[in-house]
PDB file of all heavy atoms in Angstrom:
ATOM      1  N   THR P 418      11.072  -1.780  -1.490  1.00 94.00           N
ATOM      2  CA  THR P 418      11.313  -2.471  -2.753  1.00 94.00           C
ATOM      3  C   THR P 418      12.338  -1.698  -3.561  1.00 94.00           C
ATOM      4  O   THR P 418      12.521  -0.486  -3.356  1.00 94.00           O
ATOM      5  CB  THR P 418      10.007  -2.628  -3.554  1.00 94.00           C
ATOM      6  OG1 THR P 418      10.237  -3.456  -4.706  1.00 94.00           O
ATOM      7  CG2 THR P 418       9.463  -1.275  -3.997  1.00 94.00           C
ATOM      8  N   MET P 419      13.002  -2.384  -4.486  1.00 92.00           N
ATOM      9  CA  MET P 419      14.061  -1.773  -5.285  1.00 92.00           C
ATOM     10  C   MET P 419      13.700  -1.827  -6.758  1.00 92.00           C
ATOM     11  O   MET P 419      13.073  -2.774  -7.223  1.00 92.00           O
ATOM     12  CB  MET P 419      15.395  -2.500  -5.055  1.00 92.00           C
ATOM     13  CG  MET P 419      15.882  -2.448  -3.624  1.00 92.00           C
ATOM     14  SD  MET P 419      17.442  -3.296  -3.397  1.00 92.00           S
ATOM     15  CE  MET P 419      17.594  -3.241  -1.611  1.00 92.00           C
ATOM     16  N   LEU P 420      14.114  -0.785  -7.466  1.00 91.00           N
ATOM     17  CA  LEU P 420      13.893  -0.685  -8.904  1.00 91.00           C
ATOM     18  C   LEU P 420      15.217  -0.379  -9.579  1.00 91.00           C
ATOM     19  O   LEU P 420      15.897   0.581  -9.208  1.00 91.00           O
ATOM     20  CB  LEU P 420      12.879   0.416  -9.224  1.00 91.00           C
ATOM     21  CG  LEU P 420      11.471   0.230  -8.657  1.00 91.00           C
ATOM     22  CD1 LEU P 420      10.615   1.441  -8.976  1.00 91.00           C
ATOM     23  CD2 LEU P 420      10.824  -1.027  -9.205  1.00 91.00           C
ATOM     24  N   GLU P 421      15.580  -1.169 -10.551  1.00 89.00           N
ATOM     25  CA  GLU P 421      16.828  -0.961 -11.271  1.00 89.00           C
ATOM     26  C   GLU P 421      16.641   0.112 -12.337  1.00 89.00           C
ATOM     27  O   GLU P 421      15.691   0.067 -13.119  1.00 89.00           O
ATOM     28  CB  GLU P 421      17.292  -2.265 -11.917  1.00 89.00           C
ATOM     29  CG  GLU P 421      18.686  -2.202 -12.486  1.00 89.00           C
ATOM     30  CD  GLU P 421      19.240  -3.569 -12.834  1.00 89.00           C
ATOM     31  OE1 GLU P 421      18.453  -4.537 -12.853  1.00 89.00           O
ATOM     32  OE2 GLU P 421      20.455  -3.677 -13.081  1.00 89.00           O
ATOM     33  N   LYS P 422      17.530   1.108 -12.347  1.00 89.00           N
ATOM     34  CA  LYS P 422      17.492   2.183 -13.325  1.00 89.00           C
ATOM     35  C   LYS P 422      18.850   2.235 -14.020  1.00 89.00           C
ATOM     36  O   LYS P 422      19.898   2.364 -13.382  1.00 89.00           O
ATOM     37  CB  LYS P 422      17.201   3.534 -12.660  1.00 89.00           C
ATOM     38  CG  LYS P 422      15.909   3.584 -11.861  1.00 89.00           C
ATOM     39  CD  LYS P 422      14.704   3.214 -12.689  1.00 89.00           C
ATOM     40  CE  LYS P 422      14.397   4.240 -13.723  1.00 89.00           C
ATOM     41  NZ  LYS P 422      13.148   3.897 -14.496  1.00 89.00           N
ATOM     42  N   TYR P 423      18.823   2.141 -15.352  1.00 87.00           N
ATOM     43  CA  TYR P 423      20.067   2.034 -16.110  1.00 87.00           C
ATOM     44  C   TYR P 423      20.687   3.396 -16.406  1.00 87.00           C
ATOM     45  O   TYR P 423      21.897   3.505 -16.546  1.00 87.00           O
ATOM     46  CB  TYR P 423      19.806   1.280 -17.419  1.00 87.00           C
ATOM     47  CG  TYR P 423      19.378  -0.151 -17.180  1.00 87.00           C
ATOM     48  CD1 TYR P 423      18.038  -0.516 -17.238  1.00 87.00           C
ATOM     49  CD2 TYR P 423      20.320  -1.131 -16.881  1.00 87.00           C
ATOM     50  CE1 TYR P 423      17.647  -1.821 -17.013  1.00 87.00           C
ATOM     51  CE2 TYR P 423      19.935  -2.442 -16.652  1.00 87.00           C
ATOM     52  CZ  TYR P 423      18.598  -2.780 -16.716  1.00 87.00           C
ATOM     53  OH  TYR P 423      18.206  -4.075 -16.482  1.00 87.00           O
ATOM     54  N   GLY P 424      19.892   4.437 -16.499  1.00 83.00           N
ATOM     55  CA  GLY P 424      20.447   5.759 -16.771  1.00 83.00           C
ATOM     56  C   GLY P 424      21.167   6.322 -15.558  1.00 83.00           C
ATOM     57  O   GLY P 424      20.753   6.130 -14.418  1.00 83.00           O
ATOM     58  N   ALA P 425      22.250   7.039 -15.805  1.00 86.00           N
ATOM     59  CA  ALA P 425      23.049   7.609 -14.712  1.00 86.00           C
ATOM     60  C   ALA P 425      22.589   9.001 -14.313  1.00 86.00           C
ATOM     61  O   ALA P 425      23.157   9.593 -13.393  1.00 86.00           O
ATOM     62  CB  ALA P 425      24.516   7.655 -15.126  1.00 86.00           C
TER      63      ALA P 425
END
Side-chain angles (χ1 to χ4, degrees):
T418 187
M419 299 180 188
L420 298 176
E421 190 167 13
K422 303 303 291 183
Y423 296 100

